[in-house]
Amino acid sequence: WADASGNGNNGTAYNGATFSTSARVGSHAGSFDGVDDYIRVKTSALAANSAQNSVEAWIYLTAIGTATKTIYAENSSAGVVFSLGVASTGKPFFAVWRSDVSGNWLTAESSSPVSINQWCHVVGTLDGNGMKIYVNGSLSGMHTNTSPSNGTITEASIGRINNLGGADFLAGKIDELIVYKRALSAEE
């Protein structure tokens, strides 16, 4: 699970997370069973505490179920503080945690659900204009929040959040996951 950016944010697979040759881009995608598979990246904050950030990925869900499915999260020792995922309704979301906000979570959620068993491109952005979630190249949801997470990041994870030992495991594939310390434009 090498970081293709050259920044050394390599990941370690746990509980059977593997590569599938059925990829959206290139020859391999991360494959997750939805039970306990995930990738852990031991690092300081990649993007959660940045004034501008974006996370994008191609996803292929094989199940949605009754719980949230995490694509990517940056976690503190107490839980998740920054996340791109799919809600139990099938709607992709981009969320940040702030200790100074009632309820703590600020979320841009897609207005429409994604389908299982097909590739979907999901992008979450945050900048001075707020939070946005794009699905397959179209703006699908917004939130007025302009502030990054103020949590202390201890690790990043792919395919789950680190919440009391792990939760919200994704069932399916993740391809071309990219984390940016800038907000992607609508054209990008």
Side-chain angles (χ1 to χ4, degrees):
W1 299 85
D3 176 9
S5 73
N7 292 323
N9 295 313
N10 300 320
T12 302
Y14 289 88
N15 304 324
T18 62
F19 285 110
S20 167
T21 56
S22 174
R24 176 66 174 95
V25 178
S27 60
H28 292 84
S31 182
F32 304 86
D33 67 5
V35 177
D36 60 0
D37 294 0
Y38 69 99
I39 306 302
R40 180 176 182 219
V41 181
K42 182 68 174 160
T43 184
S44 59
L46 296 176
N49 302 125
S50 299
Q52 294 189 17
N53 56 60
S54 301
V55 180
E56 73 171 314
W58 283 97
I59 60 170
Y60 184 99
L61 301 177
T62 56
I64 294 174
T66 59
T68 296
K69 303 301 176 193
T70 301
I71 300 165
Y72 174 81
E74 291 185 20
N75 308 293
S76 72
S77 58
V80 66
V81 296
F82 177 86
S83 179
L84 179 67
V86 178
S88 61
T89 59
K91 296 177 180 180
F93 67 86
F94 182 58
V96 299
W97 181 92
R98 294 202 48 91
S99 62
D100 57 349
V101 174
S102 176
N104 300 117
W105 283 104
L106 303 163
T107 304
E109 185 176 73
S110 173
S111 58
S112 301
V114 296
S115 298
I116 62 169
N117 299 318
Q118 69 181 50
W119 285 103
C120 175
H121 189 243
V122 180
V123 181
T125 68
L126 169 72
D127 64 13
N129 295 313
M131 298 170 62
K132 297 179 177 113
I133 184 83
Y134 295 87
V135 178
N136 292 325
S138 297
L139 179 62
S140 187
M142 298 175 57
H143 190 284
T144 58
N145 174 57
T146 59
S147 299
S149 175
N150 61 357
T152 302
I153 312 304
T154 57
E155 71 170 28
S157 57
I158 302 167
R160 73 140 193 190
I161 62 170
N162 179 25
N163 188 10
L164 304 175
D168 299 347
F169 293 97
L170 183 132
K173 297 176 212 139
I174 300 173
D175 200 8
E176 298 298 306
L177 172 73
I178 305 173
V179 180
Y180 303 88
K181 285 189 178 180
R182 66 180 181 87
L184 295 175
S185 67
E187 294 76 31
E188 291 178 291

